[in-house]
mmCIF file of all heavy atoms in Angstrom:
data_model
loop_
_atom_site.group_PDB
_atom_site.id
_atom_site.type_symbol
_atom_site.label_atom_id
_atom_site.label_comp_id
_atom_site.label_asym_id
_atom_site.label_seq_id
_atom_site.Cartn_x
_atom_site.Cartn_y
_atom_site.Cartn_z
ATOM 1 N N MET A 1230 39.351 154.639 145.748
ATOM 2 C CA MET A 1230 39.957 155.678 144.928
ATOM 3 C C MET A 1230 41.311 155.182 144.419
ATOM 4 O O MET A 1230 42.132 154.698 145.175
ATOM 5 C CB MET A 1230 40.120 156.940 145.759
ATOM 6 C CG MET A 1230 40.720 158.071 145.012
ATOM 7 S SD MET A 1230 40.726 159.556 146.052
ATOM 8 C CE MET A 1230 41.073 160.733 144.825
ATOM 9 N N GLU A 1231 41.525 155.324 143.148
ATOM 10 C CA GLU A 1231 42.754 154.862 142.524
ATOM 11 C C GLU A 1231 43.866 155.884 142.712
ATOM 12 O O GLU A 1231 43.678 157.077 142.507
ATOM 13 C CB GLU A 1231 42.512 154.640 141.038
ATOM 14 C CG GLU A 1231 43.694 154.053 140.317
ATOM 15 C CD GLU A 1231 43.405 153.822 138.849
ATOM 16 O OE1 GLU A 1231 42.252 153.507 138.510
ATOM 17 O OE2 GLU A 1231 44.330 153.971 138.054
ATOM 18 N N SER A 1232 45.054 155.397 143.128
ATOM 19 C CA SER A 1232 46.195 156.285 143.319
ATOM 20 C C SER A 1232 46.848 156.583 141.975
ATOM 21 O O SER A 1232 47.014 155.694 141.152
ATOM 22 C CB SER A 1232 47.209 155.633 144.256
ATOM 23 O OG SER A 1232 48.363 156.425 144.330
ATOM 24 N N LYS A 1233 47.225 157.827 141.773
ATOM 25 C CA LYS A 1233 47.885 158.213 140.528
ATOM 26 C C LYS A 1233 49.377 158.423 140.735
ATOM 27 O O LYS A 1233 50.048 158.954 139.881
ATOM 28 C CB LYS A 1233 47.240 159.469 139.978
ATOM 29 C CG LYS A 1233 45.774 159.239 139.660
ATOM 30 C CD LYS A 1233 45.266 160.210 138.665
ATOM 31 C CE LYS A 1233 43.785 159.966 138.522
ATOM 32 N NZ LYS A 1233 43.344 159.785 137.210
ATOM 33 N N PHE A 1234 49.877 158.000 141.900
ATOM 34 C CA PHE A 1234 51.301 158.114 142.183
ATOM 35 C C PHE A 1234 52.014 156.832 141.771
ATOM 36 O O PHE A 1234 51.448 155.745 141.861
ATOM 37 C CB PHE A 1234 51.543 158.339 143.682
ATOM 38 C CG PHE A 1234 51.115 159.686 144.172
ATOM 39 C CD1 PHE A 1234 50.055 159.813 145.054
ATOM 40 C CD2 PHE A 1234 51.777 160.831 143.778
ATOM 41 C CE1 PHE A 1234 49.662 161.051 145.520
ATOM 42 C CE2 PHE A 1234 51.390 162.075 144.240
ATOM 43 C CZ PHE A 1234 50.329 162.184 145.108
ATOM 44 N N THR A 1235 53.265 156.966 141.373
ATOM 45 C CA THR A 1235 54.073 155.785 141.095
ATOM 46 C C THR A 1235 54.370 155.069 142.415
ATOM 47 O O THR A 1235 54.186 155.637 143.497
ATOM 48 C CB THR A 1235 55.413 156.164 140.435
ATOM 49 O OG1 THR A 1235 56.175 156.941 141.372
ATOM 50 C CG2 THR A 1235 55.206 156.935 139.141
ATOM 51 N N THR A 1236 54.845 153.858 142.300
ATOM 52 C CA THR A 1236 55.204 153.097 143.493
ATOM 53 C C THR A 1236 56.282 153.829 144.281
ATOM 54 O O THR A 1236 56.202 153.925 145.503
ATOM 55 C CB THR A 1236 55.699 151.690 143.106
ATOM 56 O OG1 THR A 1236 54.649 151.034 142.391
ATOM 57 C CG2 THR A 1236 56.074 150.876 144.322
ATOM 58 N N LYS A 1237 57.270 154.361 143.600
ATOM 59 C CA LYS A 1237 58.353 155.082 144.282
ATOM 60 C C LYS A 1237 57.830 156.342 144.972
ATOM 61 O O LYS A 1237 58.267 156.676 146.069
ATOM 62 C CB LYS A 1237 59.474 155.453 143.294
ATOM 63 C CG LYS A 1237 60.308 154.271 142.873
ATOM 64 C CD LYS A 1237 61.087 153.743 144.037
ATOM 65 C CE LYS A 1237 62.068 152.689 143.620
ATOM 66 N NZ LYS A 1237 62.740 152.079 144.744
ATOM 67 N N ALA A 1238 56.900 157.045 144.339
ATOM 68 C CA ALA A 1238 56.318 158.237 144.958
ATOM 69 C C ALA A 1238 55.520 157.853 146.201
ATOM 70 O O ALA A 1238 55.589 158.537 147.227
ATOM 71 C CB ALA A 1238 55.432 158.976 143.966
ATOM 72 N N GLN A 1239 54.783 156.755 146.121
ATOM 73 C CA GLN A 1239 54.027 156.271 147.279
ATOM 74 C C GLN A 1239 54.970 155.902 148.420
ATOM 75 O O GLN A 1239 54.689 156.200 149.583
ATOM 76 C CB GLN A 1239 53.169 155.074 146.894
ATOM 77 C CG GLN A 1239 52.020 155.420 145.986
ATOM 78 C CD GLN A 1239 51.255 154.196 145.517
ATOM 79 O OE1 GLN A 1239 51.310 153.138 146.123
ATOM 80 N NE2 GLN A 1239 50.539 154.343 144.417
ATOM 81 N N GLU A 1240 56.094 155.281 148.086
ATOM 82 C CA GLU A 1240 57.085 154.916 149.110
ATOM 83 C C GLU A 1240 57.680 156.163 149.758
ATOM 84 O O GLU A 1240 57.881 156.207 150.973
ATOM 85 C CB GLU A 1240 58.188 154.052 148.495
ATOM 86 C CG GLU A 1240 57.722 152.663 148.113
ATOM 87 C CD GLU A 1240 58.758 151.884 147.313
ATOM 88 O OE1 GLU A 1240 59.847 152.433 146.997
ATOM 89 O OE2 GLU A 1240 58.482 150.722 146.979
ATOM 90 N N ALA A 1241 57.977 157.178 148.961
ATOM 91 C CA ALA A 1241 58.535 158.423 149.502
ATOM 92 C C ALA A 1241 57.531 159.111 150.417
ATOM 93 O O ALA A 1241 57.899 159.605 151.492
ATOM 94 C CB ALA A 1241 58.954 159.358 148.362
ATOM 95 N N LEU A 1242 56.274 159.136 150.017
ATOM 96 C CA LEU A 1242 55.248 159.734 150.866
ATOM 97 C C LEU A 1242 55.079 158.955 152.166
ATOM 98 O O LEU A 1242 54.928 159.554 153.239
ATOM 99 C CB LEU A 1242 53.915 159.816 150.120
ATOM 100 C CG LEU A 1242 53.851 160.890 149.043
ATOM 101 C CD1 LEU A 1242 52.588 160.741 148.207
ATOM 102 C CD2 LEU A 1242 53.915 162.272 149.667
ATOM 103 N N ALA A 1243 55.122 157.629 152.079
ATOM 104 C CA ALA A 1243 55.008 156.802 153.289
ATOM 105 C C ALA A 1243 56.181 157.077 154.226
ATOM 106 O O ALA A 1243 56.004 157.179 155.446
ATOM 107 C CB ALA A 1243 54.946 155.328 152.919
ATOM 108 N N ALA A 1244 57.382 157.211 153.669
ATOM 109 C CA ALA A 1244 58.559 157.511 154.495
ATOM 110 C C ALA A 1244 58.443 158.898 155.113
ATOM 111 O O ALA A 1244 58.830 159.101 156.269
ATOM 112 C CB ALA A 1244 59.834 157.404 153.654
ATOM 113 N N ALA A 1245 57.896 159.861 154.366
ATOM 114 C CA ALA A 1245 57.708 161.216 154.896
ATOM 115 C C ALA A 1245 56.695 161.205 156.036
ATOM 116 O O ALA A 1245 56.884 161.877 157.047
ATOM 117 C CB ALA A 1245 57.254 162.157 153.779
ATOM 118 N N ILE A 1246 55.634 160.437 155.882
ATOM 119 C CA ILE A 1246 54.634 160.313 156.946
ATOM 120 C C ILE A 1246 55.261 159.702 158.190
ATOM 121 O O ILE A 1246 55.053 160.180 159.309
ATOM 122 C CB ILE A 1246 53.436 159.465 156.466
ATOM 123 C CG1 ILE A 1246 52.647 160.232 155.407
ATOM 124 C CG2 ILE A 1246 52.533 159.065 157.637
ATOM 125 C CD1 ILE A 1246 51.636 159.390 154.655
ATOM 126 N N GLN A 1247 56.059 158.666 157.989
ATOM 127 C CA GLN A 1247 56.727 158.010 159.117
ATOM 128 C C GLN A 1247 57.709 158.971 159.795
ATOM 129 O O GLN A 1247 57.788 159.022 161.024
ATOM 130 C CB GLN A 1247 57.454 156.757 158.634
ATOM 131 C CG GLN A 1247 58.022 155.926 159.747
ATOM 132 C CD GLN A 1247 58.598 154.619 159.231
ATOM 133 O OE1 GLN A 1247 58.941 154.485 158.064
ATOM 134 N NE2 GLN A 1247 58.709 153.645 160.109
ATOM 135 N N SER A 1248 58.424 159.751 159.021
ATOM 136 C CA SER A 1248 59.378 160.720 159.574
ATOM 137 C C SER A 1248 58.657 161.771 160.408
ATOM 138 O O SER A 1248 59.082 162.092 161.524
ATOM 139 C CB SER A 1248 60.153 161.386 158.431
ATOM 140 O OG SER A 1248 60.977 162.407 158.920
ATOM 141 N N ALA A 1249 57.587 162.316 159.861
ATOM 142 C CA ALA A 1249 56.825 163.337 160.589
ATOM 143 C C ALA A 1249 56.236 162.757 161.864
ATOM 144 O O ALA A 1249 56.335 163.365 162.939
ATOM 145 C CB ALA A 1249 55.719 163.897 159.697
ATOM 146 N N SER A 1250 55.652 161.592 161.759
ATOM 147 C CA SER A 1250 55.045 160.942 162.920
ATOM 148 C C SER A 1250 56.085 160.632 163.987
ATOM 149 O O SER A 1250 55.865 160.873 165.180
ATOM 150 C CB SER A 1250 54.337 159.662 162.481
ATOM 151 O OG SER A 1250 53.791 158.992 163.573
ATOM 152 N N GLY A 1251 57.219 160.115 163.563
ATOM 153 C CA GLY A 1251 58.293 159.769 164.492
ATOM 154 C C GLY A 1251 58.847 160.981 165.223
ATOM 155 O O GLY A 1251 59.318 160.878 166.359
ATOM 156 N N ALA A 1252 58.778 162.141 164.582
ATOM 157 C CA ALA A 1252 59.264 163.369 165.200
ATOM 158 C C ALA A 1252 58.173 164.066 166.013
ATOM 159 O O ALA A 1252 58.409 165.137 166.570
ATOM 160 C CB ALA A 1252 59.798 164.319 164.120
ATOM 161 N N GLY A 1253 56.979 163.468 166.034
ATOM 162 C CA GLY A 1253 55.888 164.046 166.796
ATOM 163 C C GLY A 1253 55.210 165.219 166.109
ATOM 164 O O GLY A 1253 54.519 166.002 166.751
ATOM 165 N N HIS A 1254 55.406 165.340 164.802
ATOM 166 C CA HIS A 1254 54.796 166.429 164.049
ATOM 167 C C HIS A 1254 53.420 166.005 163.550
ATOM 168 O O HIS A 1254 53.273 164.912 163.003
ATOM 169 C CB HIS A 1254 55.677 166.840 162.875
ATOM 170 C CG HIS A 1254 57.034 167.309 163.298
ATOM 171 N ND1 HIS A 1254 58.143 167.163 162.513
ATOM 172 C CD2 HIS A 1254 57.451 167.920 164.433
ATOM 173 C CE1 HIS A 1254 59.189 167.668 163.149
ATOM 174 N NE2 HIS A 1254 58.792 168.129 164.316
ATOM 175 N N PRO A 1255 52.413 166.854 163.715
ATOM 176 C CA PRO A 1255 51.051 166.478 163.338
ATOM 177 C C PRO A 1255 50.777 166.507 161.832
ATOM 178 O O PRO A 1255 49.752 166.013 161.394
ATOM 179 C CB PRO A 1255 50.183 167.520 164.051
ATOM 180 C CG PRO A 1255 51.070 168.714 164.167
ATOM 181 C CD PRO A 1255 52.463 168.160 164.355
ATOM 182 N N GLN A 1256 51.685 167.084 161.058
ATOM 183 C CA GLN A 1256 51.475 167.120 159.612
ATOM 184 C C GLN A 1256 52.803 166.953 158.890
ATOM 185 O O GLN A 1256 53.870 167.181 159.449
ATOM 186 C CB GLN A 1256 50.812 168.420 159.185
ATOM 187 C CG GLN A 1256 51.616 169.660 159.490
ATOM 188 C CD GLN A 1256 50.807 170.928 159.250
ATOM 189 O OE1 GLN A 1256 49.600 170.929 159.349
ATOM 190 N NE2 GLN A 1256 51.492 172.001 158.923
ATOM 191 N N ILE A 1257 52.706 166.578 157.629
ATOM 192 C CA ILE A 1257 53.902 166.406 156.800
ATOM 193 C C ILE A 1257 54.295 167.769 156.247
ATOM 194 O O ILE A 1257 53.463 168.506 155.729
ATOM 195 C CB ILE A 1257 53.632 165.448 155.637
ATOM 196 C CG1 ILE A 1257 53.237 164.082 156.155
ATOM 197 C CG2 ILE A 1257 54.851 165.328 154.739
ATOM 198 C CD1 ILE A 1257 52.738 163.167 155.083
ATOM 199 N N GLU A 1258 55.554 168.083 156.366
ATOM 200 C CA GLU A 1258 56.106 169.326 155.826
ATOM 201 C C GLU A 1258 57.048 168.962 154.674
ATOM 202 O O GLU A 1258 57.501 167.814 154.569
ATOM 203 C CB GLU A 1258 56.890 170.069 156.919
ATOM 204 C CG GLU A 1258 56.046 170.495 158.110
ATOM 205 C CD GLU A 1258 55.066 171.608 157.798
ATOM 206 O OE1 GLU A 1258 55.254 172.311 156.780
ATOM 207 O OE2 GLU A 1258 54.104 171.769 158.566
ATOM 208 N N PRO A 1259 57.384 169.927 153.822
ATOM 209 C CA PRO A 1259 58.309 169.644 152.720
ATOM 210 C C PRO A 1259 59.628 169.033 153.188
ATOM 211 O O PRO A 1259 60.202 168.182 152.498
ATOM 212 C CB PRO A 1259 58.525 171.018 152.079
ATOM 213 C CG PRO A 1259 57.251 171.743 152.345
ATOM 214 C CD PRO A 1259 56.842 171.281 153.729
ATOM 215 N N VAL A 1260 60.099 169.411 154.361
ATOM 216 C CA VAL A 1260 61.363 168.869 154.859
ATOM 217 C C VAL A 1260 61.264 167.355 155.087
ATOM 218 O O VAL A 1260 62.235 166.623 154.888
ATOM 219 C CB VAL A 1260 61.838 169.613 156.128
ATOM 220 C CG1 VAL A 1260 60.952 169.308 157.325
ATOM 221 C CG2 VAL A 1260 63.292 169.279 156.439
ATOM 222 N N HIS A 1261 60.087 166.867 155.474
ATOM 223 C CA HIS A 1261 59.912 165.426 155.667
ATOM 224 C C HIS A 1261 60.017 164.687 154.333
ATOM 225 O O HIS A 1261 60.631 163.621 154.248
ATOM 226 C CB HIS A 1261 58.561 165.121 156.325
ATOM 227 C CG HIS A 1261 58.412 165.737 157.676
ATOM 228 N ND1 HIS A 1261 57.419 166.646 157.947
ATOM 229 C CD2 HIS A 1261 59.124 165.604 158.816
ATOM 230 C CE1 HIS A 1261 57.532 167.034 159.212
ATOM 231 N NE2 HIS A 1261 58.563 166.417 159.752
ATOM 232 N N LEU A 1262 59.432 165.267 153.305
ATOM 233 C CA LEU A 1262 59.512 164.650 151.985
ATOM 234 C C LEU A 1262 60.937 164.730 151.443
ATOM 235 O O LEU A 1262 61.441 163.761 150.873
ATOM 236 C CB LEU A 1262 58.535 165.316 151.024
ATOM 237 C CG LEU A 1262 58.417 164.680 149.650
ATOM 238 C CD1 LEU A 1262 58.080 163.199 149.730
ATOM 239 C CD2 LEU A 1262 57.381 165.415 148.821
ATOM 240 N N LEU A 1263 61.604 165.863 151.654
ATOM 241 C CA LEU A 1263 62.992 165.989 151.217
ATOM 242 C C LEU A 1263 63.859 164.939 151.902
ATOM 243 O O LEU A 1263 64.704 164.300 151.261
ATOM 244 C CB LEU A 1263 63.526 167.394 151.506
ATOM 245 C CG LEU A 1263 64.993 167.637 151.146
ATOM 246 C CD1 LEU A 1263 65.262 167.389 149.669
ATOM 247 C CD2 LEU A 1263 65.394 169.043 151.545
ATOM 248 N N GLU A 1264 63.651 164.748 153.187
ATOM 249 C CA GLU A 1264 64.406 163.731 153.927
ATOM 250 C C GLU A 1264 64.196 162.351 153.317
ATOM 251 O O GLU A 1264 65.147 161.586 153.133
ATOM 252 C CB GLU A 1264 63.980 163.748 155.391
ATOM 253 C CG GLU A 1264 64.733 162.789 156.265
ATOM 254 C CD GLU A 1264 64.295 162.855 157.718
ATOM 255 O OE1 GLU A 1264 63.305 163.521 158.048
ATOM 256 O OE2 GLU A 1264 64.970 162.215 158.531
ATOM 257 N N ALA A 1265 62.963 162.031 152.980
ATOM 258 C CA ALA A 1265 62.651 160.735 152.375
ATOM 259 C C ALA A 1265 63.305 160.593 151.003
ATOM 260 O O ALA A 1265 63.848 159.531 150.666
ATOM 261 C CB ALA A 1265 61.142 160.559 152.266
ATOM 262 N N LEU A 1266 63.277 161.651 150.214
ATOM 263 C CA LEU A 1266 63.875 161.601 148.880
ATOM 264 C C LEU A 1266 65.394 161.479 148.951
ATOM 265 O O LEU A 1266 66.014 160.783 148.137
ATOM 266 C CB LEU A 1266 63.471 162.838 148.081
ATOM 267 C CG LEU A 1266 61.988 162.925 147.715
ATOM 268 C CD1 LEU A 1266 61.679 164.288 147.098
ATOM 269 C CD2 LEU A 1266 61.581 161.804 146.792
ATOM 270 N N LEU A 1267 66.005 162.144 149.914
ATOM 271 C CA LEU A 1267 67.461 162.061 150.068
ATOM 272 C C LEU A 1267 67.903 160.685 150.556
ATOM 273 O O LEU A 1267 69.043 160.274 150.313
ATOM 274 C CB LEU A 1267 67.955 163.133 151.042
ATOM 275 C CG LEU A 1267 67.923 164.560 150.521
ATOM 276 C CD1 LEU A 1267 68.190 165.540 151.655
ATOM 277 C CD2 LEU A 1267 68.912 164.754 149.391
ATOM 278 N N ALA A 1268 67.016 159.974 151.217
ATOM 279 C CA ALA A 1268 67.351 158.644 151.734
ATOM 280 C C ALA A 1268 67.416 157.600 150.624
ATOM 281 O O ALA A 1268 67.913 156.503 150.847
ATOM 282 C CB ALA A 1268 66.334 158.220 152.792
ATOM 283 N N GLU A 1269 66.936 157.942 149.443
ATOM 284 C CA GLU A 1269 66.955 157.025 148.302
ATOM 285 C C GLU A 1269 68.062 157.463 147.339
ATOM 286 O O GLU A 1269 67.846 158.309 146.471
ATOM 287 C CB GLU A 1269 65.598 157.029 147.599
ATOM 288 C CG GLU A 1269 65.487 156.065 146.453
ATOM 289 C CD GLU A 1269 65.806 154.628 146.836
ATOM 290 O OE1 GLU A 1269 65.231 154.119 147.806
ATOM 291 O OE2 GLU A 1269 66.655 154.020 146.163
ATOM 292 N N PRO A 1270 69.277 156.911 147.488
ATOM 293 C CA PRO A 1270 70.421 157.396 146.712
ATOM 294 C C PRO A 1270 70.325 157.182 145.203
ATOM 295 O O PRO A 1270 70.991 157.860 144.443
ATOM 296 C CB PRO A 1270 71.612 156.638 147.296
ATOM 297 C CG PRO A 1270 71.025 155.441 147.952
ATOM 298 C CD PRO A 1270 69.641 155.817 148.380
ATOM 299 N N ARG A 1271 69.483 156.269 144.759
ATOM 300 C CA ARG A 1271 69.357 156.017 143.317
ATOM 301 C C ARG A 1271 68.053 156.549 142.748
ATOM 302 O O ARG A 1271 67.683 156.217 141.625
ATOM 303 C CB ARG A 1271 69.468 154.517 143.045
ATOM 304 C CG ARG A 1271 70.853 153.989 143.343
ATOM 305 C CD ARG A 1271 71.024 152.576 142.818
ATOM 306 N NE ARG A 1271 72.366 152.108 143.098
ATOM 307 C CZ ARG A 1271 72.671 151.241 144.033
ATOM 308 N NH1 ARG A 1271 71.731 150.708 144.779
ATOM 309 N NH2 ARG A 1271 73.916 150.868 144.217
ATOM 310 N N GLY A 1272 67.362 157.381 143.506
ATOM 311 C CA GLY A 1272 66.076 157.918 143.063
ATOM 312 C C GLY A 1272 66.230 159.080 142.103
ATOM 313 O O GLY A 1272 67.323 159.582 141.849
ATOM 314 N N VAL A 1273 65.111 159.498 141.579
ATOM 315 C CA VAL A 1273 65.080 160.615 140.633
ATOM 316 C C VAL A 1273 65.603 161.894 141.283
ATOM 317 O O VAL A 1273 66.346 162.654 140.654
ATOM 318 C CB VAL A 1273 63.641 160.827 140.109
ATOM 319 C CG1 VAL A 1273 63.544 162.071 139.250
ATOM 320 C CG2 VAL A 1273 63.191 159.611 139.320
ATOM 321 N N ALA A 1274 65.240 162.125 142.528
ATOM 322 C CA ALA A 1274 65.682 163.345 143.212
ATOM 323 C C ALA A 1274 67.203 163.406 143.292
ATOM 324 O O ALA A 1274 67.797 164.470 143.092
ATOM 325 C CB ALA A 1274 65.074 163.423 144.606
ATOM 326 N N ALA A 1275 67.836 162.279 143.552
ATOM 327 C CA ALA A 1275 69.304 162.249 143.634
ATOM 328 C C ALA A 1275 69.917 162.660 142.298
ATOM 329 O O ALA A 1275 70.858 163.455 142.260
ATOM 330 C CB ALA A 1275 69.786 160.860 144.037
ATOM 331 N N GLY A 1276 69.383 162.140 141.221
ATOM 332 C CA GLY A 1276 69.887 162.493 139.894
ATOM 333 C C GLY A 1276 69.702 163.963 139.582
ATOM 334 O O GLY A 1276 70.596 164.611 139.021
ATOM 335 N N LEU A 1277 68.556 164.506 139.948
ATOM 336 C CA LEU A 1277 68.293 165.927 139.712
ATOM 337 C C LEU A 1277 69.222 166.809 140.545
ATOM 338 O O LEU A 1277 69.763 167.802 140.049
ATOM 339 C CB LEU A 1277 66.843 166.261 140.031
ATOM 340 C CG LEU A 1277 65.795 165.670 139.087
ATOM 341 C CD1 LEU A 1277 64.397 165.912 139.627
ATOM 342 C CD2 LEU A 1277 65.947 166.245 137.696
ATOM 343 N N LEU A 1278 69.393 166.439 141.803
ATOM 344 C CA LEU A 1278 70.279 167.225 142.669
ATOM 345 C C LEU A 1278 71.719 167.161 142.180
ATOM 346 O O LEU A 1278 72.430 168.168 142.193
ATOM 347 C CB LEU A 1278 70.170 166.743 144.119
ATOM 348 C CG LEU A 1278 68.840 167.072 144.793
ATOM 349 C CD1 LEU A 1278 68.719 166.320 146.123
ATOM 350 C CD2 LEU A 1278 68.705 168.565 145.006
ATOM 351 N N ASP A 1279 72.146 165.990 141.734
ATOM 352 C CA ASP A 1279 73.496 165.859 141.183
ATOM 353 C C ASP A 1279 73.656 166.703 139.914
ATOM 354 O O ASP A 1279 74.693 167.324 139.700
ATOM 355 C CB ASP A 1279 73.811 164.395 140.869
ATOM 356 C CG ASP A 1279 74.004 163.554 142.120
ATOM 357 O OD1 ASP A 1279 74.167 164.128 143.222
ATOM 358 O OD2 ASP A 1279 73.982 162.312 142.001
ATOM 359 N N ALA A 1280 72.615 166.723 139.081
ATOM 360 C CA ALA A 1280 72.676 167.470 137.818
ATOM 361 C C ALA A 1280 72.847 168.971 138.035
ATOM 362 O O ALA A 1280 73.472 169.640 137.215
ATOM 363 C CB ALA A 1280 71.424 167.206 136.987
ATOM 364 N N VAL A 1281 72.322 169.484 139.137
ATOM 365 C CA VAL A 1281 72.466 170.914 139.409
ATOM 366 C C VAL A 1281 73.642 171.205 140.336
ATOM 367 O O VAL A 1281 73.841 172.343 140.749
ATOM 368 C CB VAL A 1281 71.166 171.541 139.968
ATOM 369 C CG1 VAL A 1281 70.042 171.416 138.956
ATOM 370 C CG2 VAL A 1281 70.784 170.947 141.300
ATOM 371 N N GLY A 1282 74.388 170.171 140.680
ATOM 372 C CA GLY A 1282 75.584 170.364 141.495
ATOM 373 C C GLY A 1282 75.329 170.510 142.980
ATOM 374 O O GLY A 1282 76.181 171.025 143.708
ATOM 375 N N ALA A 1283 74.167 170.069 143.453
ATOM 376 C CA ALA A 1283 73.859 170.165 144.883
ATOM 377 C C ALA A 1283 74.674 169.156 145.679
ATOM 378 O O ALA A 1283 74.993 168.073 145.186
ATOM 379 C CB ALA A 1283 72.372 169.922 145.111
ATOM 380 N N ASP A 1284 75.006 169.507 146.874
ATOM 381 C CA ASP A 1284 75.734 168.618 147.785
ATOM 382 C C ASP A 1284 74.697 167.827 148.589
ATOM 383 O O ASP A 1284 74.181 168.297 149.595
ATOM 384 C CB ASP A 1284 76.617 169.448 148.714
ATOM 385 C CG ASP A 1284 77.494 168.601 149.624
ATOM 386 O OD1 ASP A 1284 77.249 167.380 149.746
ATOM 387 O OD2 ASP A 1284 78.408 169.177 150.235
ATOM 388 N N ARG A 1285 74.386 166.619 148.100
ATOM 389 C CA ARG A 1285 73.355 165.811 148.746
ATOM 390 C C ARG A 1285 73.695 165.470 150.185
ATOM 391 O O ARG A 1285 72.822 165.439 151.054
ATOM 392 C CB ARG A 1285 73.084 164.534 147.953
ATOM 393 C CG ARG A 1285 72.318 164.803 146.688
ATOM 394 C CD ARG A 1285 71.841 163.522 146.032
ATOM 395 N NE ARG A 1285 72.944 162.798 145.424
ATOM 396 C CZ ARG A 1285 73.144 161.488 145.532
ATOM 397 N NH1 ARG A 1285 72.336 160.743 146.215
ATOM 398 N NH2 ARG A 1285 74.165 160.929 144.919
ATOM 399 N N ALA A 1286 74.953 165.231 150.475
ATOM 400 C CA ALA A 1286 75.370 164.892 151.836
ATOM 401 C C ALA A 1286 75.110 166.067 152.777
ATOM 402 O O ALA A 1286 74.624 165.891 153.897
ATOM 403 C CB ALA A 1286 76.837 164.482 151.866
ATOM 404 N N ALA A 1287 75.424 167.278 152.327
ATOM 405 C CA ALA A 1287 75.186 168.464 153.150
ATOM 406 C C ALA A 1287 73.683 168.678 153.364
ATOM 407 O O ALA A 1287 73.262 169.017 154.469
ATOM 408 C CB ALA A 1287 75.814 169.692 152.507
ATOM 409 N N LEU A 1288 72.897 168.473 152.301
ATOM 410 C CA LEU A 1288 71.445 168.598 152.454
ATOM 411 C C LEU A 1288 70.911 167.578 153.468
ATOM 412 O O LEU A 1288 70.093 167.917 154.308
ATOM 413 C CB LEU A 1288 70.758 168.379 151.098
ATOM 414 C CG LEU A 1288 70.732 169.543 150.134
ATOM 415 C CD1 LEU A 1288 70.194 169.090 148.782
ATOM 416 C CD2 LEU A 1288 69.881 170.659 150.683
ATOM 417 N N ALA A 1289 71.381 166.361 153.353
ATOM 418 C CA ALA A 1289 70.933 165.308 154.256
ATOM 419 C C ALA A 1289 71.270 165.661 155.715
ATOM 420 O O ALA A 1289 70.461 165.450 156.622
ATOM 421 C CB ALA A 1289 71.552 163.970 153.869
ATOM 422 N N ARG A 1290 72.457 166.194 155.933
ATOM 423 C CA ARG A 1290 72.831 166.607 157.287
ATOM 424 C C ARG A 1290 71.912 167.711 157.810
ATOM 425 O O ARG A 1290 71.514 167.702 158.961
ATOM 426 C CB ARG A 1290 74.285 167.069 157.330
ATOM 427 C CG ARG A 1290 75.295 165.946 157.295
ATOM 428 C CD ARG A 1290 76.705 166.444 157.595
ATOM 429 N NE ARG A 1290 77.166 167.477 156.672
ATOM 430 C CZ ARG A 1290 77.747 167.247 155.506
ATOM 431 N NH1 ARG A 1290 77.950 165.996 155.102
ATOM 432 N NH2 ARG A 1290 78.149 168.257 154.738
ATOM 433 N N ARG A 1291 71.569 168.642 156.950
ATOM 434 C CA ARG A 1291 70.725 169.776 157.368
ATOM 435 C C ARG A 1291 69.302 169.339 157.723
ATOM 436 O O ARG A 1291 68.685 169.920 158.583
ATOM 437 C CB ARG A 1291 70.669 170.843 156.283
ATOM 438 C CG ARG A 1291 72.024 171.408 155.964
ATOM 439 C CD ARG A 1291 72.320 172.819 156.244
ATOM 440 N NE ARG A 1291 71.362 173.693 156.784
ATOM 441 C CZ ARG A 1291 71.131 174.910 156.335
ATOM 442 N NH1 ARG A 1291 71.753 175.347 155.263
ATOM 443 N NH2 ARG A 1291 70.261 175.696 156.940
ATOM 444 N N VAL A 1292 68.798 168.320 157.012
ATOM 445 C CA VAL A 1292 67.419 167.879 157.301
ATOM 446 C C VAL A 1292 67.369 166.708 158.279
ATOM 447 O O VAL A 1292 66.305 166.258 158.645
ATOM 448 C CB VAL A 1292 66.640 167.528 156.013
ATOM 449 C CG1 VAL A 1292 66.515 168.728 155.106
ATOM 450 C CG2 VAL A 1292 67.230 166.344 155.300
ATOM 451 N N GLY A 1293 68.543 166.222 158.647
ATOM 452 C CA GLY A 1293 68.587 165.138 159.637
ATOM 453 C C GLY A 1293 68.466 163.750 159.062
ATOM 454 O O GLY A 1293 68.167 162.803 159.771
ATOM 455 N N ALA A 1294 68.663 163.601 157.765
ATOM 456 C CA ALA A 1294 68.559 162.279 157.119
ATOM 457 C C ALA A 1294 69.793 161.451 157.379
ATOM 458 O O ALA A 1294 70.850 161.920 157.633
ATOM 459 C CB ALA A 1294 68.344 162.430 155.617
#
């Protein structure tokens, strides 16, 4: 089956899976994906969060990134 995700999206999903697994969680939750996206300071999510004035550092602290 061909993946329709970009390389960066695949990397974020892999990081979310690793985060969930490392925390002993049996499934990926949105917080795991958010943690993965916040860990990439030059990613699309960072630009979007900056554009709306979100405090990325505070978000990262809240999700444990």
